[in-house]
Amino acid sequence: ATRTKSADVERADSGIGQMPARKWRSRASETLSSLQAWEAHRPCTDCGERDLPVETDVQNCNQRRADLCEKCRKRRTERKESVLEFVNTEASYGEDLRIIKEEFYLPMQVAGLLSQEQLQGIFSNIQELIDLNENFLEILQEEIDQAFDQGDDDLMTVCIGEIFLEFVNMLPAFQTYCLQQSSSVNMLNALEKEKELLRIFLNVSQNDNTALRRMNLRSFLMAPLQRVTKYPLLLSRIIKATTEYHPDHGSLREAKSRIESHLEHINMKTKQEGNTWTLRSFRQDSKKKREVINIEMRETALKTVGWLREETRFVMEGPLQLAQPPDGQWVKKGSKTLKFQNMQVLLLVNMKRVSESSLESAEPGPVKDAVLVLIRDKNNGKFHLLREPLRLSNCIVSTDPDCDDTFELIEIRREAFVFRDSDRARTHHWFRQIRRYSRELGSWKKRRNALPNIMISTPHTRP
């Protein structure tokens, strides 16, 4: 009976009294009001501003877009449309390339309307452009599909700039085609007048082949020129709709700068060859002018070594000062007595391709060869080589403690060079990069400390 009475006596309230309970309920109500007020004016996830409209239950169905202000919603929509325009126009350009090959090139080849030399003269490197377009478009489409699969309906995770920079090797291919365009059209005009069967084939194709959309061969041959000049415009639209905090913003700007520099370089080469036509002109600034010069030097270096473009990586490039000291003079008297001349130097590495994918081939692979190309400063509008490239597999690179603003490169059984940059830190960077490939490729690397002679001791070599 006693247990029953004690059990019946229980607290019906919260145990904190009436006054504290009222205060707690009042504070909870204030907190809820504050949360609701913050929710109504929470910051935009893109720009951080607080002009978001108060949400309703219908708006909550898409919480991701509800976290954006009206301005950023519009910007995301514009960016998505610009990205899709870039991909869709790349696909249309690829279709025009396919028509050139399958509706013109192959039928002419099979029918024997033109010789192989004549076909090469008209269609240039069209197959290279087709291969590049297929690989580029495949990666772009994979990025789009992956974004949609992950619920990214705004395509914010698609980085067009990064992908474009991975395929930057397609720009020299466009250059090759553009520079041959004038002679290709002239050859086509001459052959069409000369060969009646060719003229009949072209007329019938334009009028009866529905795949050609009543366009002639000359119109299709202009597709690569039109595409390469449209890249800066498409990239500009994406840049305009991309916030500066987006991870692709810097890559987009670099990609746009690279393509504009190549277009200016193509125009420069066109004028040098005496052609009157030019591609769409862009405003030049000092940075683009330097990039045009770099493009020209890379072409000179690549032509000199004879490597494939897709297997070549330009590790370093830029101005260096060079001197050739008599035997022992550098060690005895130091670099102050040496006479230096200005030189443009490029460090090229020949890499083995690890796969057919352009993106994967950018990964570091086994090094086959490495060279230093020495180019004199520009004279009479052209670059000239100082000598044949220095193969680092036959060179030894070292420093002297008394001349830490220079480094020495000795070509085994031949001659020695002393290099320096105007900036000491950059001199050290050049030294480390050149020594790295020299040690990796050199057949002499098993020699103790890899030193060229006993005049330079182990403790004084730079780590």
Side-chain angles (χ1 to χ4, degrees):
T2 303
R3 291 196 197 98
T4 303
K5 288 181 180 179
S6 62
D8 290 338
V9 180
E10 291 186 1
R11 298 291 299 260
D13 58 10
S14 61
I16 60 176
Q18 294 182 355
M19 291 297 293
R22 283 197 295 269
K23 291 182 179 179
W24 180 85
R25 285 194 293 269
S26 176
R27 184 171 297 177
S29 177
E30 293 175 359
T31 303
L32 180 61
S33 299
S34 299
L35 289 173
Q36 290 175 344
W38 182 88
E39 180 69 17
H41 300 284
R42 68 192 181 283
C44 171
T45 57
D46 277 8
C47 66
E49 296 183 3
R50 295 177 178 270
D51 59 347
L52 294 178
V54 179
E55 293 180 7
T56 64
D57 292 338
V58 177
Q59 289 173 318
N60 284 330
C61 66
N62 193 347
Q63 183 66 30
R64 188 154 173 248
R65 290 189 62 83
D67 290 342
L68 301 173
C69 65
E70 190 63 31
K71 181 180 179 181
C72 291
R73 289 185 190 181
K74 183 178 179 181
R75 179 185 292 169
R76 284 200 178 192
T77 301
E78 292 174 353
R79 185 181 188 279
K80 177 181 178 180
E81 293 174 352
S82 299
V83 169
L84 291 177
E85 181 186 12
F86 188 99
V87 178
N88 292 336
T89 53
E90 187 71 22
S92 299
Y93 161 65
E95 180 63 20
D96 287 343
L97 294 180
R98 186 195 64 80
I99 289 176
I100 292 175
K101 178 181 178 181
E102 297 183 3
E103 306 297 336
F104 290 105
Y105 180 89
L106 292 179
M108 289 180 183
Q109 185 182 48
V110 172
L113 295 178
L114 298 177
S115 65
Q116 192 61 39
E117 182 179 355
Q118 291 169 335
L119 290 171
Q120 179 66 29
I122 293 175
F123 295 97
S124 187
N125 62 329
I126 195 69
Q127 185 59 53
E128 182 183 11
L129 295 176
I130 291 174
D131 295 338
L132 288 169
N133 167 260
E134 290 178 350
N135 293 334
F136 187 37
L137 186 60
E138 180 182 0
I139 298 300
L140 289 172
Q141 196 60 55
E142 286 179 359
E143 289 291 315
I144 297 293
D145 295 340
Q146 184 177 2
F148 282 131
D149 292 342
Q150 294 176 349
D152 179 17
D153 295 333
D154 294 327
L155 303 181
M156 295 299 291
T157 58
V158 177
C159 295
I160 296 293
E162 291 183 5
I163 299 174
F164 192 96
L165 291 177
E166 292 288 353
F167 283 86
V168 76
N169 277 339
M170 66 182 177
L171 298 182
F174 276 109
Q175 175 177 314
T176 299
Y177 186 90
C178 292
L179 292 179
Q180 296 183 9
Q181 178 64 18
S182 180
S183 60
S184 298
V185 172
N186 292 335
M187 178 179 290
L188 178 61
N189 293 336
L191 290 173
E192 192 173 4
K193 293 179 181 179
E194 178 184 341
K195 296 179 178 289
E196 183 179 0
L197 290 179
L198 175 62
R199 184 168 61 254
I200 294 174
F201 167 77
L202 294 177
N203 289 335
V204 171
S205 297
Q206 180 179 353
N207 296 324
D208 297 344
N209 191 338
T210 57
L212 303 187
R213 311 187 298 274
R214 301 189 69 83
M215 293 169 57
N216 56 31
L217 175 57
R218 293 174 186 82
S219 299
F220 282 101
L221 290 177
M222 290 295 294
L225 280 73
Q226 295 168 347
R227 184 58 185 171
V228 72
T229 54
K230 197 171 183 180
Y231 280 134
L233 304 177
L234 295 172
L235 291 171
S236 295
R237 293 178 188 175
I238 301 176
I239 292 172
K240 185 178 179 181
T242 303
T243 63
E244 62 182 26
Y245 306 106
H246 193 280
D248 196 39
H249 190 268
S251 297
L252 285 167
R253 288 193 173 277
E254 183 181 354
K256 180 174 178 289
S257 177
R258 294 285 291 272
I259 181 63
E260 289 178 350
S261 298
H262 270 275
L263 291 176
E264 292 294 346
H265 180 63
I266 292 173
N267 285 337
M268 181 188 69
K269 299 286 284 187
T270 300
K271 293 178 182 178
Q272 290 177 353
E273 295 180 6
N275 295 324
T276 57
W277 66 271
T278 58
L279 297 175
R280 182 181 182 273
S281 179
F282 295 90
R283 181 178 61 86
Q284 286 191 349
D285 53 30
S286 58
K287 182 178 178 181
K288 287 186 176 61
K289 288 180 180 179
R290 289 195 301 270
E291 181 62 25
V292 170
I293 293 175
N294 291 340
I295 293 171
E296 191 172 358
M297 286 195 302
R298 292 180 204 133
E299 285 187 347
T300 302
L302 203 59
K303 186 182 298 184
T304 302
V305 297
W307 296 346
L308 295 177
R309 185 185 301 118
E310 58 271 18
E311 294 183 356
T312 304
R313 186 160 64 92
F314 292 88
V315 180
M316 289 191 69
E317 57 188 25
L320 279 179
Q321 293 181 335
L322 175 146
Q324 292 183 269
D327 292 341
Q329 185 181 20
W330 178 48
V331 175
K332 293 178 181 179
K333 299 181 180 181
S335 62
K336 293 182 179 180
T337 62
L338 298 176
K339 293 183 179 180
F340 287 88
Q341 58 178 319
N342 295 323
M343 196 71 53
Q344 296 291 336
V345 181
L346 295 91
L347 173 56
L348 285 69
V349 174
N350 194 1
M351 312 288 288
K352 292 182 180 178
R353 300 178 66 183
V354 296
S355 73
E356 292 299 322
S357 171
S358 296
L359 280 177
E360 295 180 3
S361 63
E363 296 296 327
V367 177
K368 294 194 294 185
D369 203 355
V371 299
L372 274 185
V373 178
L374 310 179
I375 301 178
R376 297 181 184 275
D377 280 347
K378 202 168 186 180
N379 186 21
N380 296 327
K382 293 184 179 180
F383 287 109
H384 298 280
L385 295 175
L386 174 68
R387 64 186 305 284
E388 68 272 14
L390 289 165
R391 299 201 172 273
L392 297 187
S393 58
N394 298 328
C395 296
I396 299 172
V397 188
S398 58
T399 58
D400 185 85
D402 297 329
C403 307
D404 62 348
D405 61 337
T406 61
F407 63 91
E408 184 182 34
L409 184 146
I410 299 179
E411 193 177 16
I412 299 176
R413 297 190 182 91
R414 296 193 66 179
E415 50 190 335
F417 301 90
V418 176
F419 292 95
R420 72 179 182 189
D421 193 280
S422 56
D423 179 62
R424 181 171 299 187
R426 187 164 173 81
T427 300
H428 295 173
H429 186 53
W430 271 102
F431 165 72
R432 287 192 295 269
Q433 290 291 337
I434 296 174
R435 185 185 62 172
R436 168 191 170 188
Y437 294 107
S438 175
R439 285 183 171 180
E440 184 175 345
L441 297 169
S443 58
W444 46 268
K445 59 186 176 182
K446 293 184 179 180
R447 291 176 53 184
R448 185 176 62 183
N449 299 323
L451 297 175
N453 53 55
I454 61 175
M455 297 297 294
I456 304 175
S457 58
T458 304
H460 297 303
T461 57
R462 182 179 287 123

